[in-house]
Amino acid sequence: MFSAFFTGFFLGMSLIVAIGAQNAFVLRQGIIRRHVFYVALFCAIADSLLIIIGVTGISIFLNSFVSEFSNVLYGISAAWLFGYGIIRLKFALIGNSSLEITKPDSINLKSTLLTLSILTFANPHVYLDTVLLIGSISQQFTNESKVAYTLGACVSSFVFFFSISYGSKILSPLMKSQYSWQILDCIIALIMFTIAWSLIVSGNLYKF
């Protein structure tokens, strides 16, 4: 169960850590100290709900399909993770990652959460990562292990969003350095490669 929990945790953390519009908005809210708790809570809950939908949805509605074509799904997920890892390594080599915070100020909590909703749910990558990828990889686990995996992925969202929200003033100067991003990209790539290899082993794909 601990292995499943940490698989979910590190996978979730690796997928969510890349700076995008949503994360940049969260960082900026933390820096200006505006609605910090509610912004972090909203993002963590939204992410967790999508993760749970992905795991339970695939388990309930696509269970027979997943069971029949598990090797194919493991292969696709492993290839996806390897590809993502290669992209992060590429960014590490060329120093292409950066932190840019350009979103305008939000006046009140309602407008802040509305903006955050758009940045979260209008982003197709969030569904690919949480619903499809995390949901598909959950199929290598059963019963309590699957619950532990899902919990790990959800906990990673709470840890990440509350960390960058309340630690934004410390993190933002650090993450303006390309060298810091190169190190982070290498770590993300290593995690992606490790999980991808575990999928290959689980699906016995190395025998083909």
Side-chain angles (χ1 to χ4, degrees):
M1 283 183 63
F2 286 107
S3 175
F5 176 88
F6 285 114
T7 297
F9 181 86
F10 287 117
L11 175 61
M13 190 68 74
S14 299
L15 290 172
I16 203 172
V17 73
I19 289 294
Q22 182 201 49
N23 291 349
F25 184 85
V26 174
L27 276 167
R28 190 175 195 281
Q29 292 300 117
I31 290 171
I32 64 177
R33 290 291 184 264
R34 181 170 291 161
H35 312 306
V36 177
F37 174 79
Y38 295 104
V39 166
L41 184 64
F42 176 91
C43 290
I45 290 177
D47 210 47
S48 296
L49 287 175
L50 290 172
I51 289 170
I52 293 170
I53 289 171
V55 173
T56 58
I58 288 179
S59 298
I60 294 174
F61 298 107
L62 299 178
N63 187 53
S64 59
F65 175 83
V66 171
S67 298
E68 186 175 354
F69 298 99
S70 60
N71 286 343
V72 175
L73 289 175
Y74 285 174
I76 292 174
S77 297
W80 188 344
L81 290 172
F82 267 121
Y84 192 88
I86 290 171
I87 290 173
R88 301 324 303 181
L89 278 181
K90 177 183 176 182
F91 285 169
L93 290 173
I94 65 178
N96 198 37
S97 296
S98 61
L99 174 60
E100 295 182 3
I101 303 174
T102 58
K103 292 293 172 183
D105 289 347
S106 294
I107 298 174
N108 53 46
L109 179 59
K110 183 178 179 180
S111 61
T112 297
L113 295 182
L114 178 60
T115 301
L116 202 50
S117 297
I118 295 172
L119 293 175
T120 300
F121 297 111
N123 179 10
H125 290 289
V126 73
Y127 301 103
L128 293 174
D129 290 345
T130 56
V131 177
L132 292 180
L133 184 56
I134 293 180
S136 296
I137 294 176
S138 71
Q139 299 310 301
Q140 67 177 298
F141 303 106
T142 57
N143 303 325
E144 292 85 358
S145 293
K146 183 176 290 188
V147 174
Y149 167 85
T150 306
L151 181 62
C154 292
V155 168
S156 73
S157 295
F158 280 86
V159 171
F160 176 79
F161 283 115
F162 277 92
S163 294
I164 67 169
S165 291
Y166 286 97
S168 55
K169 289 209 172 202
I170 300 173
L171 289 174
S172 56
L174 176 66
M175 300 317 291
K176 286 178 181 177
S177 164
Q178 283 193 351
Y179 181 69
S180 298
W181 277 104
Q182 287 174 302
I183 294 175
L184 179 60
D185 283 332
C186 286
I187 293 173
I188 293 173
L190 179 61
I191 293 172
M192 292 297 180
F193 292 150
T194 301
I195 297 175
W197 176 249
S198 73
L199 288 173
I200 291 173
V201 172
S202 297
N204 295 318
L205 300 176
Y206 59 90
K207 295 180 180 180
F208 288 94

